[in-house]
Every structure is written in structure tokens, then in C-alpha cells.
Coordinates of all heavy atoms in Angstrom, one line a residue:
Y144 N 0.8 -1.2 0.0 CA 0.0 0.0 0.0 C 0.8 1.3 0.0 O 1.9 1.3 0.6 CB -0.9 0.0 1.2 CG -1.7 -1.2 1.4 CD1 -1.4 -2.2 2.4 CD2 -2.9 -1.3 0.6 CE1 -2.2 -3.3 2.5 CE2 -3.7 -2.5 0.8 CZ -3.4 -3.4 1.8 OH -4.1 -4.5 1.9
A145 N 0.2 2.3 -0.6 CA 0.7 3.6 -0.3 C 0.4 4.0 1.1 O -0.5 3.4 1.7 CB 0.1 4.7 -1.3
V146 N 1.1 4.9 1.7 CA 0.9 5.3 3.1 C 0.9 6.9 3.1 O 1.8 7.5 2.6 CB 1.9 4.7 4.0 CG1 1.7 5.3 5.4 CG2 1.8 3.2 4.1
G147 N -0.1 7.4 3.8 CA -0.1 8.8 4.0 C -0.1 9.2 5.4 O -0.5 8.5 6.3
W148 N 0.5 10.4 5.7 CA 0.4 11.1 7.0 C -0.6 12.2 6.9 O -0.6 13.0 6.0 CB 1.8 11.6 7.4 CG 2.7 10.5 8.0 CD1 3.6 9.8 7.3 CD2 2.7 10.0 9.3 NE1 4.3 8.9 8.1 CE2 3.8 9.0 9.4 CE3 2.0 10.2 10.5 CZ2 4.1 8.3 10.5 CZ3 2.3 9.5 11.6 CH2 3.3 8.6 11.6
F149 N -1.4 12.3 7.9 CA -2.5 13.3 8.1 C -2.4 14.0 9.4 O -1.8 13.4 10.4 CB -3.8 12.7 7.8 CG -4.1 12.1 6.5 CD1 -3.5 10.8 6.3 CD2 -4.7 12.7 5.5 CE1 -3.7 10.1 5.1 CE2 -4.9 12.1 4.2 CZ -4.4 10.9 4.0
R150 N -2.9 15.1 9.6 CA -2.9 15.8 10.9 C -4.2 16.5 11.1 O -4.9 17.0 10.2 CB -1.7 16.7 11.0 CG -1.8 18.0 10.0 CD -0.4 18.7 10.1 NE -0.4 19.9 9.2 CZ 0.7 20.5 9.0 NH1 1.8 20.3 9.6 NH2 0.6 21.6 8.1
R151 N -4.5 16.8 12.3 CA -5.7 17.5 12.7 C -5.5 18.1 14.1 O -4.7 17.6 14.9 CB -6.9 16.7 12.7 CG -7.0 15.6 13.7 CD -8.3 14.8 13.8 NE -8.2 13.7 14.7 CZ -8.4 13.7 15.9 NH1 -8.8 14.8 16.6 NH2 -8.4 12.6 16.7
D152 N -6.1 19.2 14.3 CA -6.2 19.8 15.7 C -7.6 20.2 15.9 O -8.5 20.2 15.0 CB -5.1 21.0 15.8 CG -5.3 22.0 14.9 OD1 -6.4 22.1 14.2 OD2 -4.4 22.9 14.8
P153 N -7.9 20.7 17.2 CA -9.3 21.1 17.4 C -9.8 22.1 16.5 O -9.2 23.1 16.3 CB -9.2 21.6 18.9 CG -8.1 20.8 19.5 CD -7.1 20.7 18.4
G154 N -11.0 21.9 15.9 CA -11.6 22.9 15.0 C -11.1 22.7 13.6 O -11.4 23.5 12.8
R155 N -10.3 21.7 13.3 CA -9.7 21.5 12.0 C -10.2 20.1 11.4 O -10.3 19.2 12.2 CB -8.2 21.6 12.0 CG -7.6 22.9 12.4 CD -7.8 23.9 11.4 NE -7.0 25.1 11.6 CZ -7.4 26.1 12.4 NH1 -8.7 26.1 12.9 NH2 -6.7 27.2 12.6
E156 N -10.3 20.1 10.1 CA -10.5 18.9 9.4 C -9.1 18.2 9.3 O -8.1 18.9 9.3 CB -11.1 19.1 8.1 CG -12.5 19.7 8.1 CD -13.5 18.7 8.6 OE1 -13.4 17.5 8.3 OE2 -14.5 19.2 9.2
Y157 N -9.1 16.9 9.1 CA -7.9 16.3 8.7 C -7.3 16.9 7.4 O -8.1 17.1 6.5 CB -8.1 14.8 8.6 CG -7.7 14.0 9.8 CD1 -8.7 13.4 10.6 CD2 -6.4 13.8 10.1 CE1 -8.4 12.7 11.7 CE2 -6.0 13.0 11.3 CZ -7.0 12.4 12.0 OH -6.7 11.7 13.1
E158 N -6.0 17.1 7.4 CA -5.4 17.5 6.2 C -4.2 16.5 5.9 O -3.5 16.0 6.8 CB -4.9 18.9 6.2 CG -3.8 19.1 7.2 CD -3.2 20.5 7.0 OE1 -3.5 21.3 6.1 OE2 -2.4 20.9 7.9
G159 N -4.0 16.2 4.6 CA -2.9 15.4 4.2 C -1.6 16.2 4.3 O -1.5 17.3 3.9
V160 N -0.7 15.5 4.8 CA 0.7 16.1 5.1 C 1.7 15.5 4.1 O 2.4 16.3 3.4 CB 1.2 15.8 6.5 CG1 2.5 16.4 6.7 CG2 0.2 16.5 7.5
A161 N 1.7 14.3 3.9 CA 2.6 13.6 3.0 C 2.1 12.2 2.6 O 1.3 11.6 3.4 CB 4.0 13.5 3.7
C162 N 2.6 11.7 1.5 CA 2.2 10.4 1.1 C 3.3 9.8 0.3 O 4.1 10.5 -0.4 CB 0.9 10.4 0.2 SG 0.3 8.8 -0.2
I163 N 3.5 8.5 0.4 CA 4.5 7.8 -0.3 C 3.8 6.5 -1.0 O 3.0 5.8 -0.4 CB 5.7 7.4 0.6 CG1 6.8 6.8 -0.3 CG2 5.3 6.4 1.7 CD1 8.1 6.7 0.5
S164 N 4.2 6.3 -2.3 CA 3.7 5.2 -3.0 C 4.2 3.8 -2.4 O 5.2 3.8 -1.6 CB 3.9 5.2 -4.5 OG 5.3 5.2 -4.7
S165 N 3.6 2.8 -2.7 CA 4.0 1.4 -2.2 C 5.5 1.1 -2.5 O 6.1 0.5 -1.7 CB 3.1 0.3 -2.7 OG 3.2 0.3 -4.1
D166 N 5.9 1.5 -3.7 CA 7.4 1.2 -4.0 C 8.3 2.3 -3.7 O 9.5 2.2 -4.0 CB 7.5 0.8 -5.5 CG 7.1 1.9 -6.4 OD1 6.7 3.0 -6.0 OD2 7.0 1.6 -7.6
G167 N 7.8 3.4 -3.1 CA 8.6 4.5 -2.7 C 9.0 5.4 -3.9 O 9.8 6.4 -3.6
S168 N 8.5 5.2 -5.1 CA 9.0 6.0 -6.2 C 8.4 7.3 -6.3 O 8.9 8.2 -6.9 CB 8.7 5.2 -7.5 OG 7.3 5.0 -7.7
S169 N 7.2 7.5 -5.6 CA 6.5 8.8 -5.7 C 6.2 9.3 -4.3 O 5.8 8.5 -3.5 CB 5.2 8.6 -6.5 OG 5.5 8.3 -7.8
T170 N 6.4 10.6 -4.0 CA 6.1 11.2 -2.8 C 5.4 12.5 -3.0 O 5.6 13.1 -4.1 CB 7.3 11.4 -1.9 OG1 8.3 12.2 -2.6 CG2 8.0 10.1 -1.6
Y171 N 4.5 12.8 -2.1 CA 3.8 14.0 -2.2 C 3.7 14.7 -0.8 O 3.8 14.1 0.2 CB 2.3 13.7 -2.6 CG 2.2 13.0 -3.9 CD1 2.2 11.6 -3.9 CD2 2.2 13.7 -5.1 CE1 2.2 10.9 -5.1 CE2 2.1 13.0 -6.3 CZ 2.2 11.6 -6.4 OH 2.1 10.9 -7.5
Y172 N 3.7 16.1 -0.8 CA 3.8 16.8 0.4 C 2.7 18.0 0.3 O 2.6 18.6 -0.8 CB 5.2 17.4 0.6 CG 6.2 16.3 0.9 CD1 7.0 15.9 -0.2 CD2 6.4 15.8 2.1 CE1 8.0 14.9 -0.1 CE2 7.3 14.8 2.3 CZ 8.1 14.4 1.2 OH 9.0 13.3 1.4
E173 N 2.2 18.3 1.5 CA 1.4 19.5 1.6 C 2.3 20.7 1.4 O 3.5 20.6 1.8 CB 0.7 19.5 3.0 CG -0.3 20.6 3.2 CD 0.3 21.8 3.8 OE1 1.3 21.6 4.6 OE2 -0.2 22.9 3.7
D174 N 1.8 21.8 0.9 CA 2.7 22.9 0.6 C 3.6 23.4 1.7 O 4.8 23.7 1.5 CB 1.9 24.1 0.0 CG 1.3 23.8 -1.4 OD1 1.8 22.9 -2.0 OD2 0.4 24.5 -1.8
T175 N 3.0 23.5 2.9 CA 3.8 24.0 4.1 C 4.8 22.9 4.6 O 5.7 23.3 5.3 CB 2.9 24.4 5.2 OG1 2.2 23.4 5.7 CG2 1.9 25.5 4.7
A176 N 4.6 21.7 4.2 CA 5.5 20.6 4.6 C 6.7 20.5 3.7 O 7.7 20.0 4.1 CB 4.7 19.3 4.8
K177 N 6.4 20.8 2.5 CA 7.5 20.6 1.5 C 8.8 21.3 1.8 O 8.7 22.5 2.1 CB 7.0 21.0 0.1 CG 8.0 20.7 -1.1 CD 7.3 20.9 -2.4 CE 6.1 20.1 -2.7 NZ 5.5 20.3 -4.0
G178 N 9.9 20.6 1.8 CA 11.1 21.2 2.2 C 11.5 21.1 3.6 O 12.6 21.3 4.0
R179 N 10.5 20.7 4.5 CA 10.8 20.6 5.8 C 10.5 19.1 6.3 O 11.2 18.6 7.2 CB 9.9 21.5 6.7 CG 10.1 23.0 6.4 CD 9.3 23.8 7.5 NE 7.8 23.5 7.4 CZ 7.1 23.2 8.3 NH1 7.6 23.1 9.6 NH2 5.7 23.0 8.2
F180 N 9.6 18.5 5.7 CA 9.2 17.1 6.0 C 9.7 16.1 5.0 O 9.7 16.5 3.7 CB 7.7 16.9 6.2 CG 7.1 17.7 7.3 CD1 7.9 18.5 8.1 CD2 5.7 17.6 7.6 CE1 7.3 19.2 9.2 CE2 5.1 18.3 8.6 CZ 5.9 19.1 9.5
T181 N 10.0 14.9 5.4 CA 10.4 13.9 4.4 C 9.7 12.6 4.8 O 9.8 12.2 6.0 CB 11.9 13.7 4.4 OG1 12.6 14.9 4.1 CG2 12.3 12.6 3.3
I182 N 9.0 12.0 3.9 CA 8.4 10.7 4.2 C 9.3 9.6 3.6 O 9.8 9.7 2.5 CB 7.0 10.6 3.6 CG1 6.3 9.3 4.0 CG2 6.9 10.8 2.1 CD1 4.8 9.4 3.8
I183 N 9.5 8.5 4.4 CA 10.4 7.5 4.1 C 9.7 6.1 4.4 O 9.0 6.1 5.5 CB 11.7 7.6 4.8 CG1 12.3 9.0 4.7 CG2 12.7 6.5 4.4 CD1 13.3 9.4 5.8
R184 N 10.0 5.1 3.7 CA 9.4 3.8 4.0 C 10.6 2.8 4.1 O 11.5 2.8 3.3 CB 8.3 3.4 3.2 CG 8.6 3.0 1.8 CD 7.4 2.8 0.9 NE 6.5 1.7 1.5 CZ 5.2 1.7 1.5 NH1 4.5 2.6 0.8 NH2 4.5 0.7 2.1
D185 N 10.5 1.9 5.1 CA 11.3 0.8 5.3 C 10.5 -0.5 5.3 O 10.0 -0.9 6.3 CB 12.1 1.0 6.5 CG 13.2 -0.1 6.7 OD1 13.2 -1.2 6.0 OD2 14.2 0.1 7.5
N186 N 10.3 -1.0 4.1 CA 9.4 -2.2 4.0 C 9.9 -3.4 4.8 O 9.1 -4.2 5.3 CB 9.3 -2.6 2.6 CG 8.4 -1.6 1.8 OD1 7.7 -0.9 2.4 ND2 8.5 -1.7 0.5
A187 N 11.2 -3.5 5.0 CA 11.8 -4.6 5.8 C 11.3 -4.5 7.3 O 11.2 -5.5 8.0 CB 13.3 -4.6 5.7
K188 N 11.1 -3.3 7.7 CA 10.5 -3.0 9.1 C 9.1 -2.9 9.1 O 8.5 -2.6 10.2 CB 11.2 -1.9 9.7 CG 12.7 -2.1 9.9 CD 13.4 -0.8 10.5 CE 14.9 -1.0 10.8 NZ 15.5 0.2 11.4

């Protein structure tokens, strides 16, 4: 599976922060996260 990270706080809807495809070849970031956050997968773990 692809895996996404989402976040929410009181009074907010969930928003997508980052996502990575199952093979790790594609990643996506919310605009404010880009350049600061990195999504990584370790399938062995």
C-alpha cells in the first residue's frame, strides 16, 4: 500500500501532510510541509 500522513487539531479537518507510494517511487507533500518534512518507508521493518 501507499501510506499517507495526516494531521488535525481542534476545530480543523484532517489534512494530508505527506504520502508515499508502495514502491517508494513517488512522494507528495502538503505545501507547508514541502522542504521541511520527508516521508520514508522501510518495508523490511
Side-chain angles (χ1 to χ4, degrees):
Y144 306 104
V146 176
W148 282 96
F149 300 79
R150 66 187 178 190
R151 64 175 173 87
D152 60 11
R155 298 284 191 274
E156 299 287 328
Y157 262 107
E158 67 171 351
V160 178
C162 185
I163 187 166
S164 61
S165 60
D166 63 1
S168 63
S169 298
T170 58
Y171 303 90
Y172 298 94
E173 187 268 335
D174 286 343
T175 64
K177 187 174 295 184
R179 300 188 298 126
F180 294 3
T181 305
I182 188 168
I183 309 157
R184 68 188 306 150
D185 187 341
N186 288 340
K188 296 181 179 180

